[in-house]
Every structure is written in C-alpha cells, then in structure tokens.
Amino acid sequence: MMANSHLGKGDTLVVYCASGMRARQACDILHSLGFSDIVFAGTLSAANALITAQ
C-alpha cells in the first residue's frame, strides 16, 4: 500500500496470513469497524490460488 493512501469502507479487502487464524481475527475487526467488502482468503497459499484463478 502507498504511504499516503487510505482504505475506504467500501473498498475490497483481501485478508490472509500464514495459518489463516490472524486473518480471521482481522476480518472480524475490519467488519466491526464498518468495512463491508472483506474477502477472507485464509492462508497464503489459498490467497495465491485465489489470485491466480482470476
């Protein structure tokens, strides 16, 4: 992400981490903060598969 950019509440966010556990927690926090378009990608390998499939 660029230093001066800001996330909008309607922006699509893809969230992942090594095991998927922190990503799930991050999704819950982002949702509680009002973000609406959150994609839980789970693990890094799952996120990679999601990205390459598109």
Side-chain angles (χ1 to χ4, degrees), residues 17-39:
C17 71
S19 70
M21 292 177 63
R22 289 176 304 245
R24 171 54 59 205
Q25 292 173 338
C27 286
D28 292 342
I29 292 168
L30 288 165
H31 182 68
S32 73
L33 293 172
F35 289 89
S36 58
D37 193 5
I38 305 166
V39 178

Side-chain angles (χ1 to χ4, degrees), residues 6-24:
H6 297 280
L7 296 174
K9 301 275 181 169
D11 290 347
T12 301
L13 305 176
V14 178
V15 183
Y16 62 90
C17 71
S19 70
M21 292 177 63
R22 289 176 304 245
R24 171 54 59 205

